[in-house]
């Protein structure tokens, strides 16, 4: 058993890292963001002067500054890529902007510069925030550990220096420094960061524990079984990095398309300039035709074909409590054909509550009296089960008598003297009960609840059931997602099989995967996606982060979500309303339909104008009008999804 020495307060160097605000990269700390902001401000200053017919020197200087601040960085990177024999599309846009300015279309070129500078800044911000969140995950594990030596003495060592076979002492309130198993002691360990279980788990000799999980009120001696670099928490960090990289092939495909388009446009522009010149055309005429070609072939309308519908959808979703982190995310949401849901904090409220109160025959207690008795004994305890019992008594406004001689035994429960009688409240497996009590306990556990046995003077007087209740909107959400995707969502949880299946039956889910560690969730998602499925994963905890990154699209529940889950996920439900998930999927599909419409419009305009310029003589003003007209048309069409009517909630259809 733990000695008195084990129970003393831990020295500051041996405990977990103090809670400090997580380091977060500021947006303006990124050079891409600063240059994009400067370019946008200069453009907004130049625009009214230009439109009002102000002094040429003034709007000319402002537009020139816009070109420099927004275009120098992508232009320089494009030149470096060109030296490596790669033609970057950003360089092409800078050249097109300069070409537009060369023939007097200064406004068009400046707008193009601002669009691409802003896009690059948003990408840099997203990358930096993800890196911050992964680094923040490492703060869950303590920096030091108390290692026990062969002679019984202790030494404080850096956690990364622990080796397999070492024995470490974990005092009450500390975080466990390494994966291993308990060789001595008993305690309740909060391992929600790893498994997602809503309640602390009783640990005793022989049980496994994980680095980064929080020890309760008992002292534990833990034998290290994994090198710290291979702990579950370290593997979560690695899996988030690896899973995030699995989305890169899409980016590689886009880059190939950009490369081909860039080369084709450059060659075509040179041909439009050189061929007429070779056949005797005047230099000014050939230059005008080629610059007109570069303008009408510029992909501004194509860019705006996708951006306004998706950004409008992002704004509409934001008004209703869903934050999609990019236009790419909003588009991907509409592609999902399978949904996987976490349990605790996602389908459930994430807070244990008293669900059933059963006085036993002969106890002479009713529900209120039994609850008040248990709450009085539990009142000094900080255990989540105790808080649930006390909160239930407060909700019923029950008077609680004073508890004397309070003691708490990890893994067993609490003891106290209440109104002169000895009261024990705790785990039925650790306290002796009767046949009636055992039947009630089995009944509650079969219903997916945690049973709490109450003894008075050594005799069982009642059983209280505590459960993490399903969200009221869980069942309608599951039904709506089933209708949208054509398949029933799957439940992925680290909780036990019995509790998982009970919840699944309540909300309408038939496929249940329980007892999963983070890597198991990732494996399940990857297996489905290897079959061609586009998986939407919804979760809230650190343990969900790798699967959120691995999934085609990940959504985090914002209210109870961990920092890592919120940063790793592609979208966040800010208001904690589960029904917004099918609503945002439906909104994304509307936006994608508008994108297809816009691409058709933009492609038609570009094809007609380019053909006109090549076959006949397209007047520059008409080319600019056609190009800008198509840009405005697709932009306005894309704004249709911004309307309130575009947000429909499939989970609430049919409600009065």
């Amino acid at each position: 058993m733990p000695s008195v020495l084990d129970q003393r307060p831990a020295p500051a160097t041996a405990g977990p890292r103090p809670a400090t605000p997580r380091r977060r990269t500021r947006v303006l700390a990124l050079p891409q963001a600063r240059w994009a902001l400067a370019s946008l401000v200069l453009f907004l200053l130049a625009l009214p002067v230009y439109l009002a017919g102000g002094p040429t020197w003034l709007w000319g200087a402002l537009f020139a500054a816009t070109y420099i601040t927004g275009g120098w960085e992508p232009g320089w990177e494009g030149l470096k890529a060109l030296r490596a024999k790669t033609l970057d599309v950003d360089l092409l846009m800078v050249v097109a902007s300069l070409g537009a300015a060369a023939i007097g279309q200064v406004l068009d070129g400046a707008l193009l510069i601002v669009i691409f500078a802003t896009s690059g800044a948003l990408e840099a911000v997203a990358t930096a925030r993800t890196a911050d969140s992964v680094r923040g995950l490492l703060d869950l594990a303590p920096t030091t550990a108390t290692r026990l030596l062969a002679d019984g003495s202790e030494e404080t060592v850096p956690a990364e220096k622990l080796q397999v076979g070492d024995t470490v002492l974990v005092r009450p309130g500390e975080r466990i420094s390494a994966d291993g198993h308990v060789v001595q002691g008993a305690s309740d360990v909060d391992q929600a960061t790893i498994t997602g279980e809503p309640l602390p788990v009783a640990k005793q000799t022989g049980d496994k524990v994980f680095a980064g999980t929080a020890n309760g009120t008992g002292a534990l001696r833990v034998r290290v079984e994994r090198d710290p670099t291979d702990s579950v928490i370290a593997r979560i960090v690695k899996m988030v990095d690896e899973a995030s990289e699995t989305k890169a092939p899409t980016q590689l495909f886009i880059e190939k398309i950009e490369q081909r388009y860039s080369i084709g446009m450059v060659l075509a522009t040179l041909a439009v300039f050189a061929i007429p010149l070779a056949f005797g055309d005047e230099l000014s005429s050939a230059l005008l035709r080629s610059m007109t070609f570069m303008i009408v072939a510029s992909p501004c309308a194509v860019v705006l074909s996708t951006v306004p519908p998706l950004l409008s959808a992002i704004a509409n979703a934001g008004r209703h409590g869903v934050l999609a982190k990019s236009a790419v995310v909003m588009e991907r949401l509409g592609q999902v054909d399978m949904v996987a849901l976490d349990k605790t904090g996602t389908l459930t409220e994430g807070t244990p509550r008293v669900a059933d109160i059963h006085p036993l025959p002969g106890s002479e207690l009713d529900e209120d009296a039994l609850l008040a008795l248990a709450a009085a004994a539990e009142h000094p305890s900080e255990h989540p089960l105790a808080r649930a019992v006390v909160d239930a008594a407060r909700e019923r406004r029950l008077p609680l008598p004073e508890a004397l001689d309070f003691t708490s035994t990890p893994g067993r429960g609490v003891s106290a003297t209440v109104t002169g009688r000895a009261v024990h409240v705790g785990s039925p497996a650790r306290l002796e009960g009767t046949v009636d009590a055992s039947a009630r306990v089995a009944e509650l556990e079969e219903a997916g609840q945690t049973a709490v046995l109450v003894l008075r003077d050594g005799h069982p007087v009642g059983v209280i059931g505590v459960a993490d209740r399903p969200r009221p909107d869980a069942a309608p959400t599951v039904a709506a997602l089933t209708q949208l995707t054509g398949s029933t969502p799957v439940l992925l949880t680290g909780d036990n099989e019995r509790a998982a299946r009970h919840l699944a039956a309540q909300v309408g889910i038939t496929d249940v995967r329980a007892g999963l560690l983070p890597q198991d969730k990732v494996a399940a998602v990857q297996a489905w996606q290897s079959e061609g499925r586009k998986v939407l994963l919804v979760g809230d905890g650190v343990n969900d982060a790798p699967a959120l990154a691995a999934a085609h699209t990940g959504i985090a529940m914002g209210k109870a979500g961990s920092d890592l889950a919120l940063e790793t996920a592609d979208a966040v439900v800010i208001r904690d309303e589960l029904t917004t998930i099918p609503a945002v999927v439906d909104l994304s599909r509307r936006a994608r339909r508008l994108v297809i419409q816009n691409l058709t419009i933009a492609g038609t305009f570009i094809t007609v104008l380019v053909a006109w310029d090549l076959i006949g003589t397209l007047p520059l003003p008409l080319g600019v009008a056609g190009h800008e007209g198509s840009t405005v048309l697709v932009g306005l069409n894309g704004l249709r999804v911004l309307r309130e009517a575009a947000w429909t909630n499939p989970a609430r259809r049919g409600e009065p």
Side-chain angles (χ1 to χ4, degrees):
M1 294 298 292
S3 66
V4 175
L5 180 65
D6 295 344
Q7 303 292 339
R8 73 176 188 270
T13 57
R17 184 176 304 173
T20 55
R22 184 166 57 83
R23 291 169 294 178
R24 187 185 184 94
T25 300
R26 293 186 178 182
V27 173
L28 291 182
L30 300 171
Q32 298 95 327
R34 293 197 299 270
W35 288 116
L37 178 62
S39 179
L40 176 61
V41 170
L42 290 166
F43 177 80
L44 294 177
L45 291 174
L47 185 61
V49 179
Y50 177 81
L51 296 178
T56 302
W57 64 266
L58 178 57
W59 59 256
L62 290 172
F63 274 136
T66 301
Y67 279 77
I68 294 171
T69 54
W72 83 267
E73 190 171 38
W76 177 248
E77 293 298 323
L79 289 174
K80 290 195 294 184
L82 196 60
R83 292 181 60 183
K85 300 180 180 180
T86 300
L87 186 58
D88 196 313
V89 73
D90 287 349
L91 178 61
L92 179 61
M93 291 303 98
V94 172
V95 172
S97 300
L98 295 175
I103 57 173
Q105 305 302 320
V106 180
L107 178 61
D108 292 345
L111 179 60
L112 195 58
I113 285 287
V114 171
I115 289 175
F116 277 88
T118 304
S119 175
L122 291 176
E123 183 178 354
V125 169
T127 301
R129 290 287 169 85
T130 300
D132 288 345
S133 66
V134 173
R135 286 193 300 268
L137 177 58
L138 296 174
D139 292 337
L140 289 174
T143 57
T144 61
T146 302
R147 182 164 59 189
L148 300 178
L149 303 179
D151 60 3
S153 61
E154 304 174 6
E155 65 173 348
T156 300
V157 298
E160 65 268 17
K161 298 297 184 182
L162 292 175
Q163 298 178 357
V164 175
D166 286 347
T167 299
V168 296
L169 173 64
V170 185
R171 294 187 172 89
E174 290 186 350
R175 286 191 178 270
I176 297 170
S177 53
D179 288 2
H181 68 272
V182 179
V183 295
Q184 188 177 348
S187 186
D188 294 313
V189 176
D190 181 357
Q191 52 188 36
T193 54
I194 302 298
T195 66
E197 292 171 286
L199 298 173
V201 179
K203 299 290 184 180
Q204 56 187 355
T205 301
D207 290 338
K208 282 187 175 183
V209 292
F210 303 104
T213 56
N215 186 26
T217 56
L220 298 175
R221 293 173 186 257
V222 176
R223 180 71 51 80
V224 178
E225 292 182 335
R226 281 199 185 102
D227 187 275
T229 59
D230 192 41
S231 68
V232 171
I233 202 73
R235 282 185 285 167
I236 290 177
V237 176
K238 183 179 179 182
M239 284 188 293
V240 171
D241 282 334
E242 290 177 349
S244 297
E245 290 299 319
T246 60
K247 295 181 180 179
T250 301
Q251 298 299 324
L252 292 175
F253 175 75
I254 293 173
E255 289 175 5
K256 289 180 181 179
I257 299 299
E258 291 177 344
Q259 180 76 1
R260 293 172 183 173
Y261 183 85
S262 302
I263 295 173
M265 186 172 173
V266 169
L267 294 177
T269 301
L270 292 175
V272 170
F273 172 71
I275 293 175
L277 197 63
F279 283 90
D281 197 3
E282 295 181 359
L283 177 62
S284 59
S285 176
L287 181 61
L288 181 61
R289 181 186 291 271
S290 61
M291 287 298 97
T292 302
F293 173 84
M294 179 170 283
I295 290 174
V296 298
S298 173
C300 286
V302 174
V303 171
L304 289 179
S305 294
T306 58
V307 174
L310 298 173
L311 292 185
S312 297
I314 289 174
N316 199 340
R319 290 202 305 261
H320 293 87
V322 181
L323 171 63
K325 295 184 179 180
S326 71
V328 174
V329 170
M330 182 54 68
E331 183 179 22
R332 293 168 72 94
L333 278 167
Q335 300 171 350
V336 299
D337 56 14
M338 180 178 181
V339 180
L341 301 166
D342 175 48
K343 174 182 172 286
T344 305
T346 300
L347 287 174
T348 68
E349 295 174 348
T351 303
R353 298 178 182 273
V354 171
D356 285 300
I357 305 171
H358 295 288
L360 295 177
S363 65
E364 299 179 354
L365 297 175
D366 59 14
E367 288 189 5
D368 285 354
L370 175 62
L371 181 60
L373 183 68
E378 293 273 31
H379 190 267
S381 175
E382 296 181 353
H383 194 283
L385 285 176
R387 290 198 296 269
V389 172
V390 173
D391 289 345
R394 286 173 175 168
E395 289 175 4
R396 297 191 181 199
R397 299 184 178 180
L398 301 178
L400 302 183
E402 184 180 3
L404 304 175
D405 304 321
F406 173 83
T407 60
S408 175
T409 305
R412 293 181 61 88
V414 303
S415 301
T417 301
V418 180
T419 62
R421 309 185 73 169
V423 178
H424 299 269
V425 184
S427 168
R430 304 288 195 272
L431 300 175
E432 294 183 0
T434 63
V435 174
D436 289 335
S438 299
R440 282 296 187 186
V441 167
E443 179 183 326
L444 292 177
E445 291 181 345
E446 187 63 31
Q449 299 180 21
T450 299
V452 178
L453 183 62
V454 183
L455 281 71
R456 184 177 60 187
D457 294 333
H459 301 288
V461 293
V463 181
I464 297 174
V466 179
D468 185 11
R469 298 187 302 192
R471 294 174 184 265
D473 52 0
T477 298
V478 169
L481 289 171
T482 302
Q483 184 177 9
L484 280 171
T485 63
S487 61
T488 304
V490 179
L491 180 61
L492 298 181
T493 179
D495 210 347
N496 65 79
E497 181 88 12
R498 185 165 48 197
R501 291 202 174 278
H502 181 74
L503 173 74
Q506 290 179 289
V507 301
I509 293 177
T510 55
D511 191 349
V512 177
R513 316 288 175 91
L516 303 182
L517 290 176
Q519 59 265 34
D520 301 322
K521 293 185 177 183
V522 172
V525 170
Q526 290 176 338
W528 288 320
Q529 295 191 154
S530 67
E531 298 171 358
R533 307 300 296 271
K534 291 181 172 61
V535 180
L536 166 63
L537 186 110
V538 185
D540 72 307
V542 168
N543 60 309
D544 298 316
L548 286 168
H552 177 269
T553 312
I555 296 181
M557 302 301 295
K559 183 177 179 181
S562 70
D563 283 346
L564 183 65
L566 299 181
E567 293 290 358
T568 305
D570 300 302
V572 179
V573 178
I574 301 297
R575 298 176 187 169
D576 221 35
E577 297 177 9
L578 201 58
T579 55
T580 56
I581 294 173
V584 76
V585 171
D586 185 63
L587 181 69
S588 172
R589 293 185 176 184
R590 291 171 180 263
R592 291 183 71 237
R593 288 194 291 269
L594 286 183
V595 168
I596 294 173
Q597 291 178 14
N598 283 349
L599 287 173
T600 302
I601 294 171
T604 301
F605 267 83
I606 291 176
T607 301
V608 170
L609 293 174
V610 166
W612 189 344
D613 187 53
L614 294 177
I615 298 173
T617 301
L618 175 64
L620 178 59
L622 186 58
V624 172
H627 176 263
E628 297 301 324
S630 65
T631 302
V632 171
L633 183 60
V634 298
L636 293 177
N637 189 46
L639 294 178
R640 290 166 53 200
V641 80
L642 190 60
R643 299 174 303 165
E644 184 67 25
W647 179 270
T648 59
N649 198 324
R652 292 182 175 174
R653 288 173 185 166
E655 289 185 358

